[in-house]
């Protein structure tokens, strides 16, 4: 029984890492035909409507005081970051975008310390500093994307990871007793109206129903929404339930690897300073993972 659970855990870890790591590659392919606002709104539109039936099931027993927190989870954990990543990839390689997204656990710890009364150890604070130095190395370096060299668009990724981190801390502090699938389903369902409005106003709807572009243009977006937002969210929460947050956090190391490999396969180029920045950033994440159980105990006592 234990070996079966271990096998399932590793299978889910690989699935989630592959899905999240490939999402940046899928965004790059979508941006060949869609502008970043059409891409992000189409992604949210599909994801919200997929989650809506589950959300309607759970909303009946929803504690009304949790709505404001679920709105934060929805907009900070998915809605706004979708636009940030899409905009960033108009001027950044998918490899670097995927790598910078691993700042999420670092900002989760930093915001938890500043606003959510988390008391991290010295080595975790050291990890935050190392990770931010690695991110700076990446963002201050040049990139190579069809002649465009503006890695400062990485600030959009940084903003997305800060929002992810705020969403994560919100769940940990205010929604820790709420079922994880319920959090995802209701949070996405609460965004269905604004997602539908944006899908129409950005012109994504007109493209989808017109004959100007083939419907296959939207295949990467649909895959991104269903696999990267819906299925993977449920799988990740389930992985935490059966294996714990420490094991699940390994995704932070594997996702950039998948993004980099797919980017290199697709002809992207990275420079030495960027490889060094990636190593420094991932090293910072390793340090922030030390002594995790003790930190959790301090925040829950």
């Amino acid at each position: 029984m234990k070996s079966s659970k271990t096998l399932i855990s590793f299978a889910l870890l690989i699935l989630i890492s592959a899905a999240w790591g490939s999402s940046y590659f899928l965004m790059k392919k979508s941006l060949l035909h869609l502008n970043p606002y059409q891409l992000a709104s189409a992604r949210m539109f599909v994801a919200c409507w997929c989650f809506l039936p589950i959300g309607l099931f759970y909303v009946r027993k929803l504690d009304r005081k949790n709505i404001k927190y679920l709105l934060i989870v929805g907009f900070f954990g998915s809605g706004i970051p979708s636009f940030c990543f899409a905009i960033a990839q108009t001027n950044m390689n998918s490899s670097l975008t995927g790598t910078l997204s691993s700042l999420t656990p670092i900002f989760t710890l930093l915001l938890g310390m500043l606003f959510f009364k988390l008391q991290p150890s010295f080595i975790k604070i050291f990890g935050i500093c190392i990770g931010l130095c690695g991110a700076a190395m990446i963002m201050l370096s040049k990139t190579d994307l069809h002649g465009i060299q503006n890695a400062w668009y990485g600030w959009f990724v940084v903003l997305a990871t800060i929002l992810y981190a705020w969403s994560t801390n919100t769940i940990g502090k205010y929604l820790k007793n709420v079922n994880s699938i319920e959090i995802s389903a209701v949070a996405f369902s609460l965004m269905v109206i604004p997602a539908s409005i944006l899908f129409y106003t950005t012109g994504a709807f007109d493209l989808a129903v017109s004959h100007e572009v083939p419907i296959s243009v939207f295949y990467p977006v649909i895959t991104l929404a269903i696999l990267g937002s819906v299925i993977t969210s449920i799988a990740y929460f389930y992985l935490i339930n059966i294996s714990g947050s420490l094991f699940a956090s390994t995704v932070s190391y594997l996702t950039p690897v998948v993004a980099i490999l797919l980017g290199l396969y697709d002809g992207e180029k990275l420079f030495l300073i960027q490889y060094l920045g990636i190593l420094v950033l991932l090293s910072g994440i390793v340090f922030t993972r030390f002594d995790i159980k003790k930190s959790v105990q301090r925040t829950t006592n």
Side-chain angles (χ1 to χ4, degrees):
M1 186 70 178
K2 186 176 180 180
S3 60
S4 176
K5 182 179 291 187
T6 301
L7 183 62
I8 293 173
S9 297
F10 276 100
L12 286 174
L13 182 67
I14 294 172
L15 169 66
I16 295 165
S17 300
W20 282 350
S22 62
S23 63
Y24 308 100
F25 175 80
L26 291 171
M27 279 190 273
K28 180 172 68 173
K29 295 304 180 184
S30 298
L31 287 169
L32 295 175
H33 306 283
L34 306 173
N35 67 44
Y37 308 102
Q38 292 168 338
L39 164 60
S41 61
R43 177 183 182 181
M44 293 308 303
F45 177 80
V46 174
C48 289
W49 280 96
C50 285
F51 264 122
L52 185 60
I54 307 174
L56 290 176
F57 173 79
Y58 281 114
V59 77
R60 296 175 297 174
K61 58 178 183 178
L62 179 68
D63 188 342
R64 295 292 183 260
K65 70 178 182 180
N66 288 333
I67 290 180
K68 59 183 178 181
Y69 303 124
L70 289 167
L71 284 170
I72 291 174
V73 172
F75 284 97
F76 285 17
S78 296
I80 300 175
S82 295
F83 287 87
C84 291
F85 281 117
I87 294 171
Q89 285 204 215
T90 61
N91 282 267
M92 287 190 68
N93 288 334
S94 60
S95 304
L96 298 183
T97 307
T99 300
L100 286 176
S101 70
S102 61
L103 279 169
T104 299
I106 291 177
F107 280 121
T108 299
L109 188 60
L110 182 59
L111 293 182
M113 180 177 63
L114 294 176
F115 301 104
F116 292 87
K117 298 181 180 180
L118 181 68
Q119 300 176 23
S121 61
F122 171 79
I123 197 167
K124 287 177 177 290
I125 297 175
F126 178 72
I128 291 174
C129 296
I130 293 296
L132 292 177
C133 287
M137 291 172 66
I138 294 172
M139 291 170 58
L140 291 173
S141 63
K142 66 177 181 178
T143 186
D144 181 13
L145 180 64
H146 307 301
I148 299 173
Q149 297 187 0
N150 193 349
W152 281 99
Y153 268 65
W155 282 109
F156 284 101
V157 183
V158 171
L159 174 59
T161 57
I162 291 174
L163 294 175
Y164 278 155
W166 194 275
S167 171
T168 300
N169 279 301
T170 299
I171 293 173
K173 185 173 180 64
Y174 301 108
L175 300 172
K176 58 185 177 182
N177 296 321
V178 181
N179 180 282
S180 56
I181 297 179
E182 180 179 350
I183 292 173
S184 293
V186 176
F188 272 91
S189 298
L190 290 172
M191 294 192 295
V192 71
I193 293 178
S196 299
I197 293 173
L198 287 170
F199 182 64
Y200 181 80
T201 57
T202 58
F205 173 79
D206 292 334
L207 281 178
V209 299
S210 71
H211 298 289
E212 297 179 10
V213 295
I215 192 64
S216 59
V217 166
F218 285 90
Y219 289 169
V221 184
I222 295 171
T223 303
L224 184 64
I226 295 177
L227 181 62
S229 296
V230 180
I231 296 176
T232 314
S233 295
I234 297 174
Y236 184 67
F237 284 133
Y238 182 68
L239 178 62
I240 292 175
N241 288 335
I242 65 174
S243 300
S245 58
L246 182 58
F247 181 83
S249 69
T250 311
V251 171
S252 301
Y253 316 127
L254 298 180
T255 296
V257 174
V258 175
I260 292 169
L261 291 177
L262 285 175
L264 294 177
Y265 171 78
D266 200 44
E268 295 180 1
K269 297 179 181 179
L270 295 179
F271 301 97
L272 178 60
I273 185 64
Q274 293 165 341
Y275 282 114
L276 292 175
I278 291 168
L279 289 175
V280 172
L281 173 55
L282 295 180
S283 298
I285 297 175
V286 171
F287 281 112
T288 63
R289 294 306 182 189
F290 286 166
D291 199 25
I292 190 169
K293 290 184 179 180
K294 190 176 294 186
S295 289
V296 171
Q297 289 174 354
R298 281 199 292 264
T299 58
T300 54
N301 288 339

